[in-house]
Amino acid sequence: MENGGAIPENANEHCPGPESESAGKSDACEGCPNQQICATAPKGPDPDLVVIAERMASVKHKILVLSGKGGVGKSTFSAQLAFALAAMDFQVGLLDIDICGPSVPKMLGLEGREIHQSNLGWSPVYVESNLGVMSIGFMLPDPDDAIIWRGPRKNGLIKQFLKDVDWGELDFLVVDAPPGTSDEHISVVQFLQTTGIDGSIIVTTPQQVSLIDVRKEVSFCKKVNLAVLGVVENMSGLSQPLTNFKFTKLNTSGDQEDISDWALKYISEKAPELLNVIACSEVFDSSGGGAAKMCVEMDVSFLGKVPLDPLLCKAAEEGRSIFADQRSSVSAPALHKIIQKLLSNLNANNMSV
């Protein structure tokens, strides 16, 4: 981000960047296949940034959802955050910029839907009248197609999403980013920085292997002047009503035999008070203090913990809101508290909601 403009993949080492005044003229440019193009190309700000700023002027809050590594439930959190904000009567957009792994359409029950175009631009695909979604997943003729794109082409699509999608008036635009700190992250921050981006939410699990990567994500945010609105610890222990567990025992042949019916009948007869108990188990080693300790060490806000809840996993698979049917007594209240704290933090930072 320091050299002005995206550097071509086939550029020489120490490339000054195509928008630099020395582009195509410095010693580092000698022999580069892009030398003539860079030397003659117009310099100065990207004109598309003006178009993006105009398009984003009708979006009140812009929030990036990030993760240091894959598999921590970032897209699940993004989807449920969008569902929750829409249920609060906010106008919400969810933008999926995970170009190679677009899971958002499935998590919002929109598989098989297509994007439509009007004279105002691309129209989002709507879950409800106040919840629109945009993803490359809507553009694939076959959902099993692999997207094998280099950085510049990914960045071009992200730019197109930001300048060509007709979101209308939005209270929140939630951007679900791929894991890590790569081209897509640099590009979306560059494209949105002049439009008043609120900041990022970083999703992790309690594992040290995840927290190590999250520390890098926090450092990335600080380097690009992107505020960290808070960290969410997902999969923070398995938690569900005792009656939802499957009970087994080893039989004489060494196989696990399902005894759930017997166990639940026994509990119902001998200890009925246990039928309303929620059982919890640590899945990952959190002896190091987990995300809460890391947030203290890195001076960022800790938004809260979301337990590993089979009902939340099922809601994500079925593309629906965990809040809709009030069946979840575990993850839904945890997510609700996190979202309320997020909104409070935005208000406290003079980003009125």
Side-chain angles (χ1 to χ4, degrees):
M1 292 187 65
E2 299 171 349
N3 51 23
I7 295 175
E9 292 191 351
N10 59 347
N12 287 354
E13 192 176 2
H14 308 304
C15 171
E19 290 182 13
S20 168
E21 289 300 323
S22 61
K25 304 170 186 175
S26 74
D27 292 342
C29 300
E30 288 297 326
C32 176
N34 308 294
Q35 185 175 10
Q36 185 61 32
I37 297 172
C38 289
T40 57
K43 306 298 186 292
D46 183 347
D48 283 336
L49 295 183
V50 176
V51 181
I52 291 172
E54 291 173 351
R55 183 71 83 175
M56 291 291 112
S58 61
V59 180
K60 191 174 180 182
H61 296 286
K62 307 164 196 74
I63 297 173
L64 267 62
V65 182
L66 310 175
S67 68
K69 64 189 294 293
V72 300
K74 170 187 54 60
S75 294
T76 298
F77 178 81
S78 297
Q80 296 303 322
L81 172 61
F83 275 131
L85 292 172
M88 296 175 189
D89 291 329
F90 290 116
Q91 295 291 326
V92 184
L94 177 55
L95 174 59
D96 180 8
I97 64 166
D98 191 346
I99 307 300
C100 293
S103 54
V104 162
K106 179 173 180 59
M107 291 187 175
L108 280 95
L110 299 173
E111 285 183 297
R113 300 282 291 274
E114 295 180 355
I115 295 170
H116 298 286
Q117 197 162 11
S118 70
N119 59 344
L120 297 176
W122 288 347
S123 297
V125 177
Y126 284 91
V127 183
E128 304 286 348
S129 61
N130 65 334
L131 175 52
V133 182
M134 180 56 65
S135 170
I136 193 176
F138 299 132
M139 303 176 176
L140 301 177
D142 183 341
D144 294 333
D145 284 347
I147 303 162
I148 309 171
W149 288 6
R150 294 186 183 274
R153 193 173 179 191
K154 292 185 201 174
N155 299 340
L157 182 62
I158 293 169
K159 179 187 282 189
Q160 199 165 2
F161 279 157
L162 294 174
K163 72 185 183 73
D164 290 346
V165 176
D166 178 29
W167 294 105
E169 298 282 337
L170 287 185
D171 294 303
F172 289 93
L173 177 64
V174 178
V175 181
D176 183 47
T181 53
S182 56
D183 278 358
E184 295 95 317
H185 306 83
I186 296 171
S187 295
V188 76
V189 172
Q190 277 185 324
F191 297 151
L192 288 177
Q193 211 142 40
T194 59
T195 71
I197 184 170
D198 293 72
S200 65
I201 299 170
I202 303 176
V203 181
T204 183
T205 61
Q207 303 161 279
Q208 284 300 313
V209 68
S210 179
L211 293 172
I212 289 169
D213 290 334
V214 167
R215 289 175 179 271
K216 295 182 178 69
E217 201 78 33
V218 173
S219 296
F220 165 81
C221 291
K222 290 180 178 179
K223 285 181 180 178
V224 299
N225 297 317
L226 177 65
V228 178
L229 300 174
V231 175
V232 174
E233 184 178 282
N234 197 24
M235 306 184 196
S236 186
L238 174 65
S239 185
Q240 63 176 354
L242 184 66
T243 52
N244 287 358
F245 275 88
K246 178 180 179 180
F247 296 85
T248 65
K249 72 172 184 179
L250 290 177
N251 58 26
T252 52
S253 61
D255 298 322
Q256 287 193 342
E257 180 184 344
D258 188 344
I259 59 165
S260 299
D261 290 342
W262 172 85
L264 291 175
K265 182 179 179 182
Y266 185 89
I267 291 170
S268 180
E269 293 174 354
K270 303 295 184 180
E273 63 274 13
L274 293 180
L275 295 176
N276 295 321
V277 168
I278 294 176
C280 306
S281 176
E282 293 295 331
V283 178
F284 303 117
D285 178 17
S286 58
S287 59
K293 182 181 177 184
M294 184 214 69
C295 287
V296 172
E297 293 170 351
M298 300 203 74
D299 192 27
V300 294
S301 175
F302 180 60
L303 292 176
K305 300 181 178 183
V306 182
L308 184 58
D309 178 6
L311 288 179
L312 177 57
C313 300
K314 187 174 175 61
E317 287 289 318
E318 295 175 354
R320 57 181 174 80
S321 169
I322 189 66
F323 307 99
D325 55 19
Q326 299 183 332
R327 287 170 53 203
S328 171
S329 58
V330 177
S331 59
L335 283 164
H336 180 73
K337 285 178 65 177
I338 287 169
I339 293 164
Q340 289 298 330
K341 186 170 182 179
L342 169 66
L343 296 178
S344 297
N345 286 356
L346 289 173
N347 281 322
N349 292 329
N350 296 318
M351 303 173 186
S352 57
V353 176

